[in-house]
Amino acid sequence: MFLLLPFDSLVVNLLGISITVLFTLLLVFIIVPAIFGVSFGIRKVYMKTLLKIFQWATLRIERGAKEKNHPLYKPYVNGIIAKEPTSLEEEIKELRRSGSGKALDTPEFELSDIFYFCRKGIETIMDDEVTKRFSAEELESWNLLSRTNYNFQYISLRLTVLWGLGVLIRYCFLLPLRIALAFTGISLLVTGTTVVGYLPNGRCKDFLSKHVHLMCYRICVRALTAIITYHDRGNRPRNGGICVANHTSPIDVIILASDGYYAMVGQIHGGLMGVIQRAMVKACPHVWFERSEVKDRHLVARRLTEHVQDKSKLPILIFPEGTCINNTSVMMFKKGSFEIGATVYPVAIKYDPQFGDAFWNSSKYGMVTYLLRMMTSWAIVCSVWYLPPMTRQPEEDAVQFANRVKSAIARQGGLVDLLWDGGLKREKVKDAFKEEQQKLYSKMIVGSHEDRSRS
């Protein structure tokens, strides 16, 4: 047996003391407050401090750019082309008014109409309102993350040192701390739900399951240094209903589940995710589908209908867009969850990209890379609004109801309301969209039945 030298013994003792102190601080200031749902306000002070540093860094960049006569990059928040909300018919009539002496209501083709379609095509190539929803939102200020600003270049020694210090803090302190918290939250979730799953059904099991889920999700939220502001909590989803929200990231689930108790809907996975799903379903009636079942719309609708008809079961959490959007807009909601006749509880989620970009570009980054980027950001800051419950009106079909809910979410979250399907992220435009525009123009040229009868 080797004897430790005095120096080695001292190092081991210091290392042991450091680990003990770190674990104690982790337990006292993060895990225990997360269990009871309280906060000491440390994260808000941290956020305010970061804002002041970001403002100073941005001003220093602008001053340095002026001194060196470098042009400043400014993102186009509303697009590079100014567009007025007008219809095809109105725009073509305006073209005819400016370039032809014929009657504006003449139902016939004019050569000037071609310019409308040429202009629309060029506008779409230059400023595609769909494609840009699947890339990271541009920032007007610098947040010391070089990946989020085009203006980053050497300006001064102080600014470079500040950026380097930020890298050390994020990768050497925050990242290990967040990994430890995430591991703790996931381990407790699997262990706690498995134990609760062995209890007989009843109020005790429901009570324990609810608090195990809330506790673990709150720990996971702190693993991202998430600072969340919840509004209008009186409108939180209730049993027997469906909670629908705009979708930016896989962590949307954690953001909402740390403040409420939901039944999740999704496909059964393998690996670590599969272990978590199997443990969760033992303690709570989540709705998981096999891969072969997901494509069966009637089966999915039947399972969801059976769930919401039981008023004792938890509200279902659904993201009807079906894919992640970069939090600047809300795209088309799939109508499936609006056909089953349940009360819908809309929720709007808006992230602040200054501290970290929550958007998951799944076509560019895998899950592991995405989580690494999230855990090496400064923080995740967002606001959540619970909107009043909505029900389908007698004269509405499922699509109209889905669009009404989507508009309410977009309006509350300050997001752009788009009619496009999020599936365009990976697919081509459906022929139905092209045919719709062709029919509008055809109707304008041919005219209505009354126009043809008069001629």
Side-chain angles (χ1 to χ4, degrees):
M1 182 179 291
F2 295 97
L3 296 177
L4 291 173
L5 296 175
F7 178 77
D8 295 334
S9 179
L10 178 63
V11 170
V12 171
N13 289 334
L14 289 176
L15 185 60
I17 293 172
S18 300
I19 293 174
T20 303
V21 171
L22 179 62
F23 181 76
T24 303
L25 293 174
L26 198 68
L27 188 67
V28 173
F29 289 99
I30 299 179
I31 296 178
V32 172
I35 292 174
F36 294 100
V38 297
S39 175
F40 294 128
I42 299 174
R43 286 174 295 168
K44 290 189 176 180
V45 173
Y46 169 72
M47 181 181 70
K48 291 178 181 179
T49 304
L50 284 176
L51 278 175
K52 292 181 180 179
I53 295 174
F54 296 163
Q55 290 171 359
W56 176 84
T58 302
L59 290 174
R60 186 66 188 87
I61 285 179
E62 292 176 351
R63 190 176 68 187
K66 289 180 181 178
E67 291 173 356
K68 298 182 179 181
N69 294 321
H70 289 160
L72 275 174
Y73 172 84
K74 290 292 183 181
Y76 295 95
V77 179
N78 297 319
I80 61 176
I81 299 175
K83 299 177 183 178
E84 296 294 333
T86 55
S87 66
L88 178 148
E89 187 174 0
E90 291 173 340
E91 292 200 37
I92 288 184
K93 282 185 177 182
E94 181 62 31
L95 274 174
R96 293 182 177 184
R97 182 183 294 111
S98 60
S100 174
K102 295 184 179 180
L104 298 177
D105 296 327
T106 303
E108 60 183 35
F109 169 76
E110 285 197 26
L111 193 60
S112 61
D113 297 350
I114 296 174
F115 292 106
Y116 166 80
F117 297 103
C118 290
R119 179 167 60 83
K120 281 294 181 182
I122 294 172
E123 284 183 356
T124 302
I125 294 171
M126 294 294 295
D127 189 20
D128 180 7
E129 67 176 359
V130 176
T131 304
K132 65 184 179 183
R133 309 300 173 181
F134 303 120
S135 58
E137 182 179 358
E138 291 295 339
L139 301 179
E140 293 188 7
S141 60
W142 189 40
N143 59 3
L144 301 182
L145 300 173
S146 58
R147 58 177 176 256
T148 56
N149 192 280
Y150 284 89
N151 293 323
F152 179 71
Q153 53 186 306
Y154 179 78
I155 298 294
S156 69
L157 180 61
R158 282 192 299 170
L159 197 59
T160 304
V161 169
L162 182 63
W163 175 81
L165 182 62
V167 172
L168 289 175
I169 292 173
R170 289 187 290 110
Y171 282 88
C172 299
F173 176 72
L174 291 179
L175 179 59
L177 178 65
R178 289 167 176 173
I179 291 175
L181 283 172
F183 179 79
T184 302
I186 294 172
S187 300
L188 287 175
L189 179 64
V190 173
T191 305
T193 51
T194 300
V195 172
V196 171
Y198 288 110
L199 298 176
N201 293 332
R203 291 186 177 180
C204 180
K205 180 177 181 179
D206 293 340
F207 176 83
L208 290 175
S209 176
K210 176 180 179 180
H211 285 83
V212 165
H213 278 83
L214 288 174
M215 173 188 71
C216 297
Y217 284 126
R218 285 168 180 166
I219 293 174
C220 291
V221 158
R222 282 162 172 76
L224 297 169
T225 316
I227 304 166
I228 313 166
T229 305
Y230 297 99
H231 304 272
D232 304 320
R233 280 178 161 166
N235 295 327
R236 279 187 292 189
R238 299 179 181 177
N239 290 1
I242 296 177
C243 174
V244 299
N246 57 301
H247 198 24
T248 304
S249 161
I251 69 165
D252 293 338
V253 174
I254 302 174
I255 297 295
L256 295 178
S258 64
D259 188 55
Y261 190 30
Y262 299 95
M264 308 298 175
V265 178
Q267 179 180 309
I268 296 176
H269 294 273
L272 176 61
M273 183 60 70
V275 172
I276 296 172
Q277 287 180 323
R278 288 191 294 272
M280 289 172 62
V281 80
K282 292 178 181 178
C284 176
H286 298 288
V287 185
W288 305 128
F289 294 96
E290 295 288 349
R291 183 181 297 272
S292 58
E293 296 176 334
V294 173
K295 296 181 180 180
D296 189 341
R297 292 181 61 252
H298 297 291
L299 175 63
V300 173
R302 179 168 57 80
R303 291 272 302 276
L304 295 181
T305 303
E306 290 173 355
H307 184 98
V308 299
Q309 285 178 347
D310 187 346
K311 300 304 178 184
S312 65
K313 289 188 176 180
L314 300 175
I316 297 175
L317 178 58
I318 294 178
F319 301 99
E321 287 170 298
T323 189
C324 295
I325 315 298
N326 69 354
N327 210 225
T328 61
S329 63
V330 184
M331 301 188 79
M332 187 182 80
F333 280 4
K334 303 292 191 298
K335 66 178 182 178
S337 54
F338 299 90
E339 292 177 321
I340 60 180
T343 300
V344 171
Y345 295 87
V347 176
I349 306 174
K350 179 62 179 176
Y351 291 92
D352 187 343
Q354 290 184 91
F355 303 90
D357 183 22
F359 168 59
W360 181 32
N361 187 349
S362 57
S363 60
K364 188 175 181 181
Y365 302 109
M367 178 60 75
V368 175
T369 305
Y370 167 74
L371 290 176
L372 179 63
R373 289 170 63 87
M374 292 280 287
M375 288 190 171
T376 55
S377 295
W378 292 111
I380 298 299
V381 180
C382 70
S383 295
V384 175
W385 290 270
Y386 296 106
L387 280 65
M390 302 174 70
T391 55
R392 183 173 166 181
Q393 301 300 323
E395 70 279 1
E396 281 184 323
D397 59 23
V399 174
Q400 292 171 331
F401 182 33
N403 287 335
R404 182 160 62 91
V405 174
K406 177 168 66 74
S407 298
I409 291 174
R411 186 165 54 250
Q412 180 63 73
L415 305 168
V416 180
D417 186 2
L418 296 177
L419 295 174
W420 295 103
D421 184 358
L424 293 174
K425 183 177 185 177
R426 297 181 180 87
E427 301 173 359
K428 294 182 178 180
V429 178
K430 295 180 180 179
D431 292 336
F433 287 105
K434 302 176 185 177
E435 291 171 1
E436 185 178 350
Q437 295 298 314
Q438 291 169 353
K439 287 177 182 178
L440 287 174
Y441 184 63
S442 176
K443 183 178 179 181
M444 182 180 169
I445 293 176
V446 177
S448 64
H449 178 73
E450 294 179 359
D451 293 333
R452 291 194 299 271
S453 62
R454 282 200 299 269
S455 61

